[in-house]
Amino acid sequence: MALYEPFPNYIWNLSVAIAMESGAQLGEIIDMCQPIKDAAASGADAGTPMFMKAWAAMGDKLIALAAEDEAKGRGFSASNKLERASLYLITAERMQGHGHPGRRETYARAREAFDRSTVLGQLNRERVEIPLMVGTMPALYTRAPGDDRKPVVVFCNGLDSCKELLYWTRLPQELARRGISTLCVDQPGSGEALRLQDLPVDPHSENWASAAVDWLERQPDVDLKRIGMTGISLGGHFAPRAVAYEPRFASGAVWGANHNWREVQDRRMAREGENPVPHYWAHVHWAFGAEDQEDFLTKSEAMNLNGHMDRIKVPFLVTHGANDRQISVKYADDLYDQLVNSPRREKLVFTAREGGVEHVGADNMAYGRDLISDWFAETLGGHTA
């Protein structure tokens, strides 16, 4: 299995691959990428304004086409186009540096298209706001079918994702098929929490994960004894940390281990491994609310799971891609080896045999999605058939 690589740099190719795994149409991908191939040759950072222009233009075209569908009463078709429009606009916005002209407006159009798509498509997702000590945590709630109380999984972002991208992994849909609801969260340092509220990363993820559980406890359709937690990319730090310190979680999993992210920063300063987004250091300063590099490195010291994982006393699944170019597979070994008190610990490293070998399955999310869905069905009392 290989990452689709139309550009000469990893970061641009990663964004394209994520978009394709999130529901993009190949013809639209080609139309957006073809005119900006030369710009990519200047480096991952330099050509991003052209990237945004091309991808935002496709998003805006789809919004206009969706309006034509809606005027004809074709709500489902309009929703389909708005869904892709939102995806392309979010991808365009995600590639820009903090404070780049037009970034805020592009994000606003993406959110508006996403929300309109939810209504027109009658999609199984509800936007909710979870109170935090400061501000709120925006989230998307996808309900499993049926009137009885259901298990639920809290699904958190990585460094540079958002709740919409979490929804587009289709993990919520697969969990719903298995009788499990999903709460996709924009935790502090990500998505709306960062962009609209300036809430920085909290390495002690139990603080906001516990707030998510508090909110779930007030929902009449939730089985309070069957709440799980997972995360993607840097969520491979947040989810294990939350499960270790929040005793109400009954199961956990990571889609990509991120056992010692502070150590990863030293390697990135030495130019070892790939970055996930352009303008990387400016992004992490923004996400952590850091004044400069020294302040960021200080704030990121707590992004290390060593000495904490023996607190996990529930089932826990570790997954990783064998060819992850950002985060070494050795961190999956570290996490698994330290789950000494988990009554059921499992580790699966995806290889070329099945795919999903790149960072969080950017080359193929199908196997990670299926495995994690089945894991929670087995450990939270859902069903796999």
Side-chain angles (χ1 to χ4, degrees):
M1 193 66 61
L3 195 72
Y4 177 55
E5 297 183 313
F7 296 119
N9 69 72
Y10 169 83
I11 296 177
W12 285 40
N13 292 330
L14 179 67
S15 288
V16 172
I18 291 171
M20 292 177 68
E21 286 296 306
S22 300
Q25 290 292 319
L26 181 57
E28 291 168 350
I29 288 283
I30 293 171
D31 286 347
M32 291 184 291
C33 292
Q34 191 66 35
I36 58 175
K37 281 189 173 181
D38 291 343
S42 301
D45 295 355
T48 54
M50 291 185 66
F51 188 106
M52 185 167 79
K53 182 179 179 181
W55 284 60
M58 180 64 75
D60 290 339
K61 182 178 81 170
L62 287 166
I63 290 172
L65 291 170
E68 294 175 12
D69 282 338
E70 187 177 358
K72 297 173 182 176
R74 300 169 181 170
F76 292 158
S77 294
S79 173
N80 291 339
K81 293 178 179 66
L82 288 170
E83 203 77 353
R84 298 200 308 281
S86 180
L87 169 61
Y88 299 154
L89 290 166
I90 282 174
T91 304
E93 185 268 351
R94 177 182 171 274
M95 286 283 285
Q96 308 310 306
H98 177 45
H100 183 274
R103 183 172 188 177
R104 181 180 290 272
E105 293 79 9
T106 302
Y107 184 66
R109 294 202 308 280
R111 288 185 59 236
E112 182 180 357
F114 186 88
D115 291 345
R116 188 62 182 157
S117 176
T118 302
V119 174
L120 292 175
Q122 302 175 30
L123 300 177
N124 180 15
R125 61 192 188 205
E126 177 188 356
R127 177 189 167 84
V128 301
E129 297 270 351
I130 298 168
L132 300 174
M133 291 293 291
V134 175
T136 64
M137 183 163 60
L140 297 171
Y141 191 37
T142 297
R143 290 177 170 83
D147 297 328
D148 55 332
R149 288 182 175 267
K150 301 293 183 181
V152 61
V153 171
V154 178
F155 188 14
C156 73
N157 286 312
L159 174 69
D160 51 283
S161 55
C162 58
K163 62 187 180 305
E164 293 82 6
L165 285 169
L166 296 182
Y167 179 84
W168 288 323
T169 66
R170 300 197 296 284
L171 182 65
Q173 294 89 322
E174 288 300 323
L175 285 170
R177 288 179 69 187
R178 292 160 172 80
I180 302 170
S181 301
T182 308
L183 186 70
C184 298
V185 300
D186 272 347
Q187 78 268 11
S190 70
E192 288 184 50
L194 176 64
R195 286 160 173 79
L196 302 184
Q197 300 183 57
D198 293 320
L199 298 181
V201 169
D202 183 351
H204 299 158
S205 52
E206 65 273 16
N207 293 335
W208 48 262
S210 294
V213 178
D214 291 342
W215 184 86
L216 289 169
E217 285 188 333
R218 296 192 293 271
Q219 307 312 307
D221 58 328
V222 174
D223 185 333
L224 305 183
K225 296 186 181 300
R226 295 191 290 165
I227 301 176
M229 173 84 183
T230 191
I232 197 165
S233 190
L234 192 54
H237 164 87
F238 297 129
R241 168 87 196 198
V243 174
Y245 284 92
E246 172 46 77
R248 291 174 291 179
F249 284 121
S251 180
V254 295
W255 201 340
N258 227 316
H259 192 76
N260 190 342
W261 194 73
R262 175 60 186 83
E263 185 175 77
V264 171
Q265 305 319 296
D266 293 331
R267 294 182 174 181
R268 286 179 173 161
M269 285 189 290
R271 298 190 176 182
E272 298 177 12
E274 297 282 2
N275 293 337
V277 289
H279 317 283
Y280 176 75
W281 295 111
H283 182 85
V284 294
H285 294 175
W286 175 38
F288 278 75
E291 296 179 0
D292 51 29
Q293 185 74 348
E294 182 179 358
D295 188 29
F296 161 67
L297 293 175
T298 298
K299 291 178 183 294
S300 65
E301 282 293 336
M303 303 294 289
N304 182 349
L305 297 177
N306 286 319
H308 300 283
M309 294 300 93
D310 60 339
R311 297 176 61 97
I312 292 181
K313 299 178 181 179
V314 298
F316 206 95
L317 170 68
V318 180
T319 75
H320 209 84
N323 192 40
D324 191 322
R325 291 183 247 180
Q326 293 184 42
I327 307 296
S328 170
V329 70
K330 88 175 188 68
Y331 290 120
D333 299 331
D334 292 342
L335 176 55
Y336 176 81
D337 290 345
Q338 293 179 29
L339 293 169
V340 293
N341 291 317
S342 170
R344 177 181 172 182
R345 58 174 176 168
E346 294 185 17
K347 177 180 67 176
L348 196 146
V349 176
F350 296 110
T351 68
R353 176 174 179 265
E354 64 275 352
V357 300
E358 293 284 349
H359 185 64
V360 298
D363 56 310
N364 188 341
M365 286 186 166
Y367 292 97
R369 179 170 59 238
D370 288 348
L371 177 63
I372 293 170
S373 299
D374 287 338
W375 170 263
F376 283 119
E378 292 170 0
T379 59
L380 294 178
H383 51 83
T384 56

